Amino acid sequence: MSVRAETFGHAVRSGRRRAGRGFVLGTVLALVAFVPPAGASTRTGGAAADAVAWTTRHVAPGVEVRTGVLSDPRTAGVWTVTVQAPAVNRLTGAATWAPLGDRGWADTTAGQLRAAGFAPRVEEVPWDQYADTPHSTMGWQVRAGEYATQAEAGALGSAMSAAGFRTSVEWTGYDGRRPADAERIHVAVVDPARLHGTIEATDGGDSADREKTSTVAARLGSLVGVNGGFFVTSDTDGVQGTSAGLSAVHGEVQSMAAGSRAALILADGGRHVRVGDLSTTVTVRSGSAVHAVQGVNRVPGKVRNCGRPGAVPTELPRQDLTCSLADDLVRFTSEFGAPLPSGTGVQVVLDAHGVVLSQGERGGSVPAGGSVLQGTGASAAWLAEHAVPGRRLELRETVRDASGRQVRLGPDDSVVSAAPTLVEDGRVHIDAAAEGTLDPLDLSFGFAWSNVRQPRTLAGVDGRGRLLLVTVDGRQPGVSEGFTLAEAARFMRSLGAVQALNLDGGGSTAMAVDGSLVNTTSDATGERAVGDTVQVLPRAGQD
């Protein structure tokens, strides 16, 4: 392994000459700092790099990790107080709050603040670079104060709250409409044609547990590992660690898709990598009777991120929302290591060949090499009638891309999914509304998730078929703010990505190199245990 450092100026001067020897990545990394964020005002302009040093680490043949900090010396965030706007949740009708509102609310609120002795400002918030939202003004924020410390802003926020306003204290460096102070980035470039090993999605052998990305990487002897897709983090939403979206390990579906959402497909041990919107259909047959399976390895009745037929309050994907299903049929694979959910309904235990071993109450555990079906509502009645002991049930799983073509999975294939798509056919294409991370009709939903800078983990494929795995640290005021979705898309495109998606982020964002964590995670407790990861593994026996 070797390490090389380059300054920004040297990379730019030498980029063209070095491109033929694989150094072009350093140039595009530096140049991306000049791309202004959507909606950046002419007063602040776009971000600019100032003698950024990029360090390249050659981990193994075909595996390179580059680390750097994008910074803009012309900008500095401040702590401010943002007034929340009253809103109504579009799906449930419940009263809630939004970080922005319409112009009428903003002007009225600003007037009320002035009358109460405060000095507010009204800031316009444009829609970002999404493919399926309006392209004009999203709304207006009402803010007051600019402070060097969070405590000072907090004191003002308390005074405004006492005057009857609902407030939050925020760091303006997280605003996607102005340049960030700094963004600490790690980029792993993996060339399947040169890699002596495989690229796999893994849940650690148990689809119902959580492990740190670096722990998995160290145990497997991974060259590079990053966190993977969305997963359940609370007992109220299901079994912690189970995937909240499509997951396939060694060709077997371990969790069904939440509607049609972006996925990273690692075919033939990672020799062929691509990104696509995938959906899943699963059915179980008993003789001539066929019934739909709505979930794999999750609690019946609870659908994290929604996106299933019959789900309430929506059948469409909806990030971080747990929908309900009264009529549900769920399959549990042999990799489900947690106790099986209990409650009303019917449970059927199957052997490795799909033959029914028993039918009864829900609970217990999945037998080694076998599987379990649990049904509630009408699905429980179907199981009771058709899944009798001794009868063989036939399970059929189908994964399709956005064009309807079937994606066939073999034992050397794996899939990790999240949302949304960032780059498609070589162009920035963020389908945030379709994939449920933003709602143009509900400003109380998804603003911070999509429009505010956050730690992100990204994956993409460049024009040469190389896998790009990227992490950007965030939630560190003045140190590393992170990316908005649009910034993430533009950054991936700057790396030459022709396809890219957003993986799980926030406190989950982690990259391990040679088994050790290399980025700075955002949780106060340190690196977060996650549901699944993407690992670049050396060939067995390789040093």
Side-chain angles (χ1 to χ4, degrees):
M1 180 183 69
S2 62
V3 177
R4 183 184 69 256
E6 288 187 76
T7 64
F8 165 73
H10 183 63
V12 170
R13 289 191 297 271
S14 315
R16 183 183 301 273
R17 174 168 48 86
R18 292 177 170 178
R21 291 191 286 166
F23 287 81
V24 69
L25 180 60
T27 303
V28 295
L29 278 170
L31 290 177
V32 73
F34 287 103
V35 180
S41 70
T42 55
R43 295 191 303 274
T44 59
D50 182 24
V52 177
W54 297 101
T55 301
T56 300
R57 181 175 176 179
H58 297 283
V59 182
V63 183
E64 176 179 288
V65 176
R66 184 162 289 220
T67 304
V69 179
L70 303 180
S71 62
D72 189 337
R74 302 169 299 168
T75 186
V78 295
W79 290 99
T80 192
V81 179
T82 301
V83 180
Q84 302 295 297
V88 175
N89 185 297
R90 184 173 70 85
L91 296 180
T92 66
T96 186
W97 298 91
L100 69 170
D102 61 25
R103 187 58 189 264
W105 166 83
D107 289 343
T108 298
T109 302
Q112 293 170 341
L113 284 165
R114 293 188 191 97
F118 300 102
R121 61 188 186 275
V122 175
E123 299 180 3
E124 182 180 5
V125 180
W127 284 101
D128 220 327
Q129 194 177 354
Y130 304 119
D132 52 5
T133 66
H135 299 288
S136 55
T137 300
M138 177 186 287
W140 282 263
Q141 287 188 322
V142 178
R143 286 175 159 175
E146 294 183 344
Y147 298 98
T149 68
Q150 186 175 9
E152 291 175 294
L156 176 62
S158 296
M160 292 170 63
S161 296
F165 300 92
R166 186 180 180 91
T167 64
S168 61
V169 175
E170 298 178 346
W171 174 254
T172 61
Y174 295 155
D175 293 348
R177 58 189 181 274
R178 65 190 73 204
D181 291 356
E183 293 151 327
R184 292 185 173 179
I185 301 168
H186 289 81
V187 178
V189 183
V190 185
D191 186 350
R194 299 178 55 220
L195 172 67
H196 302 306
T198 60
I199 311 169
E200 303 175 7
T202 175
D203 56 15
D206 186 347
S207 64
D209 73 343
R210 297 173 59 176
E211 278 191 287
K212 296 177 180 179
T213 300
S214 62
T215 300
V216 177
R219 184 175 70 249
L220 299 179
S222 171
L223 301 171
V224 174
V226 297
N227 63 290
F230 305 130
F231 61 97
V232 175
T233 60
S234 169
D235 292 340
T236 60
D237 300 313
V239 177
Q240 290 196 36
T242 53
S243 294
L246 175 59
S247 171
V249 179
H250 299 306
E252 184 175 7
V253 172
Q254 299 297 335
S255 180
M256 292 180 67
S260 179
R261 273 185 147 189
L264 177 66
I265 307 161
L266 302 167
D268 195 18
R271 290 181 179 83
H272 302 94
V273 184
R274 65 186 178 97
V275 172
D277 287 355
L278 300 184
S279 60
T280 49
T281 302
V282 179
T283 58
V284 58
R285 176 186 292 274
S286 175
S288 61
V290 179
H291 199 82
V293 176
Q294 291 282 39
V296 175
N297 293 333
R298 64 163 174 80
V299 175
K302 293 184 177 182
V303 189
R304 189 63 172 168
N305 293 337
C306 307
R308 300 305 310 170
V312 176
T314 179
E315 296 184 349
L316 300 175
R318 191 80 166 186
Q319 185 61 28
D320 291 341
L321 177 66
T322 298
C323 283
S324 61
L325 267 175
D327 176 11
D328 203 4
L329 183 59
V330 176
R331 178 184 187 235
F332 295 89
T333 70
S334 58
E335 286 204 12
F336 187 84
L340 287 165
S342 59
T344 59
V346 172
Q347 174 172 296
V348 171
V349 179
L350 310 174
D351 68 11
H353 304 289
V355 176
V356 177
L357 298 178
S358 65
Q359 181 190 114
E361 296 181 351
R362 293 168 54 202
S365 59
V366 180
S371 62
V372 168
L373 293 173
Q374 287 191 351
T376 60
S379 295
W382 190 92
L383 283 178
E385 179 181 356
H386 298 285
V388 297
R391 181 172 296 178
R392 184 177 181 276
L393 303 184
E394 179 185 353
L395 197 82
R396 176 167 294 182
E397 300 175 338
T398 304
V399 179
R400 297 190 184 277
D401 62 19
S403 67
R405 290 175 298 187
Q406 184 172 351
V407 178
R408 300 186 183 278
L409 300 177
D412 295 324
D413 302 334
S414 56
V415 177
V416 59
S417 72
T421 300
L422 299 176
V423 179
E424 184 176 272
D425 297 329
R427 300 188 302 272
V428 170
H429 182 90
I430 310 168
D431 53 355
E435 296 199 43
T437 68
L438 196 66
D439 187 345
L441 302 179
D442 187 351
L443 296 181
S444 70
F445 173 74
F447 179 81
W449 205 98
S450 303
N451 275 61
V452 173
R453 292 188 176 106
Q454 304 283 0
R456 309 272 182 189
T457 302
L458 318 168
V461 184
D462 69 10
R464 294 167 53 184
R466 299 181 301 180
L467 173 64
L468 307 173
L469 297 173
V470 177
T471 61
V472 56
D473 293 341
R475 298 177 186 167
Q476 301 167 44
V479 178
S480 186
E481 274 90 357
F483 283 154
T484 66
L485 285 181
E487 288 173 334
R490 289 191 290 269
F491 183 79
M492 293 301 288
R493 183 66 195 95
S494 78
L495 297 182
V498 294
Q499 302 173 339
L501 80 157
N502 180 69
L503 294 176
D504 194 10
S508 297
T509 287
M511 179 182 286
V513 178
D514 284 334
S516 298
L517 186 70
V518 295
N519 71 306
T520 302
T521 56
S522 65
D523 282 359
T525 54
E527 184 184 358
R528 179 183 297 179
V530 299
D532 62 6
T533 65
V534 177
Q535 302 288 345
V536 182
L537 304 175
R539 183 179 300 147
Q542 179 181 327
D543 292 333

